[in-house]
Amino acid sequence: MAKVCIVILDHRNDVYLRDLIDGVQRFCPGVDLALYHSGREPPLPDTPAAALPILPCSRPLRYAKVAPFFLDLLEWAATRDYRCVINAETDMAFVQPGFERFVLNAVRQIDYLAPGFSRRTPKRSRWRPYRSLRAELPELLSILGLDYTNRCFSPGQIFGARYVDCVLTSPWYGELRRFVARNQQPGRSFSLQEVLLPTIADALRLRVRDYPSHLARVNRYRPYHAATSVLRARTIPHAHFVHPLRRAEQDAARHVARGLSPPTAAAWR
C-alpha cells in the first residue's frame, strides 16, 4: 500500500474520468488511486470506473450536495494505513511530477492542507456556501462548539491521518453525521464541505494550512484554464495540478493536458 491515496469523486464515468486517471498515473505513479462512484448506475466493465477500486461506501449524490462523500471518505480512510487522503474531481488535470513528495512533506507538519483556507469568515459574507448556510449555521456551531466558521476551496484537500482520527473519534461526530444527512434535503445549503471541513479543523485544534499562496491561480473556481495556462503551470513550483478544465472534447486546454509527459529525470533535477 502506498502512503498517499487520491480518491476521485465522480458520477459520470466518462472520458474525463479516464483523463484524470491517466494524468495521476503519469505524474503520481507512487500514489494509490480509488473512486467514489456517486452515480445512480453501477459502472459497467470496460468503462473508466472499472479500472479503479471503488469505495464500498459510494452512493448517489446531488450537485453541490457532496458533503456526505467527505465523511464517507474519512471513515473509509480510517480502515486503511495511509498517511493522508486527497479528494480529486474530473475537472482537474495533473501537469507535473512531485505531488506525492509535496504532500508527504506537508503532512509532517500539519494535519490538513486546504486550498484557499481562511479563518473566521465575516458574518455578513456574500460567499455562496456561507450565505446559503445561514439558516443552518446556529445548529452547526452548536455541534462544533464554536462561534465562527472558516472557509476553503474544495478540490485537492489533503486530510492527514490525525485529521481523520480526530474527526471520527470526536464526541459530536454522530450528531454531525445527522446534520450532514439533513443537509441533503431540498432547500438546504450548497457546498457545505467548503465551510464544514476547515471549521472542523479549528474545533479539534488541528494544525491547518493553505496551499502556498501562489497556487491560488492554478487551483481556482473560475475562469477555466486555457491551453497557455496549462503550459504555464508547468513552470510554477509545486503546481502539480490545475483546476478547472472544461469537460468538453473540443477544449484546447484539455487536449494539451492529455499530451503532457513528465520531464526526463535530468531535466527534473
Side-chain angles (χ1 to χ4, degrees):
M1 180 186 294
K3 295 179 180 179
V4 175
C5 184
I6 296 175
V7 179
I8 302 170
L9 172 64
D10 180 66
H11 68 276
R12 297 174 177 86
N13 191 16
D14 57 14
V15 65
Y16 309 118
L17 174 59
R18 169 48 60 194
D19 286 345
L20 183 56
I21 294 170
D22 289 346
V24 172
Q25 291 176 340
R26 284 199 308 274
F27 292 104
C28 310
V31 308
D32 281 353
L33 189 57
L35 174 69
Y36 186 103
H37 178 63
S38 58
R40 299 194 175 276
E41 298 298 327
L44 296 173
D46 301 319
T47 61
L52 295 179
I54 297 176
L55 271 60
C57 50
S58 296
R59 57 174 129 168
L61 296 174
R62 296 165 50 214
Y63 174 74
K65 296 276 192 175
V66 299
F69 155 68
F70 288 93
L71 299 188
D72 288 346
L73 171 61
L74 298 182
E75 291 179 10
W76 175 82
T79 69
R80 319 294 286 177
D81 193 29
Y82 292 118
R83 292 277 305 281
C84 61
V85 291
I86 304 154
N87 69 296
E89 305 171 5
T90 60
D91 55 354
M92 295 167 63
F94 280 79
V95 299
Q96 59 176 319
F99 187 57
E100 181 184 12
R101 183 169 64 244
F102 168 80
V103 166
L104 289 174
N105 285 338
V107 297
R108 289 191 183 99
Q109 305 170 46
I110 59 160
D111 306 309
Y112 173 54
L113 196 70
F117 175 80
S118 66
R119 191 168 267 116
R120 293 185 177 269
T121 302
K123 296 189 185 302
R124 294 184 179 274
S125 173
R126 300 297 296 166
W127 178 51
R128 189 190 184 205
Y130 183 85
R131 186 179 73 241
S132 69
L133 182 63
R134 282 200 173 99
E136 302 160 70
L137 195 54
E139 181 184 5
L140 177 60
L141 293 176
S142 175
I143 292 170
L144 299 181
L146 294 175
D147 62 359
Y148 67 92
T149 62
N150 300 332
R151 66 179 287 176
C152 76
F153 185 48
S154 191
Q157 295 175 76
I158 300 170
F159 302 94
R162 186 164 177 260
Y163 185 105
V164 173
D165 180 65
C166 288
V167 170
L168 299 184
T169 59
S170 66
W172 35 256
Y173 182 69
E175 192 175 357
L176 181 68
R177 255 296 189 187
R178 292 187 287 274
F179 175 87
V180 170
R182 289 191 294 274
N183 179 259
Q184 296 298 291
Q185 299 168 3
R188 296 275 181 150
S189 60
F190 296 96
S191 301
L192 171 63
Q193 73 277 3
E194 295 188 336
V195 178
L196 177 64
L197 298 168
T199 305
I200 283 175
D202 273 13
L204 295 172
R205 299 182 180 180
L206 298 173
R207 300 168 300 171
V208 56
R209 195 174 72 203
D210 189 357
Y211 275 69
S213 59
H214 70 277
L215 298 181
R217 56 183 158 156
V218 296
N219 184 17
R220 63 201 188 203
Y221 174 64
R222 292 289 187 275
Y224 288 104
H225 284 278
T228 52
S229 180
V230 172
L231 293 172
R232 190 179 307 116
R234 299 259 288 182
T235 70
I236 299 172
H238 304 306
H240 304 292
F241 65 86
V242 297
H243 173 280
L245 291 189
R246 287 183 175 87
R247 296 182 181 97
E249 273 302 296
Q250 71 276 17
D251 182 54
R254 185 167 289 277
H255 281 279
V256 166
R258 284 174 178 167
L260 295 177
S261 297
T264 64
W268 183 238
R269 287 198 298 269

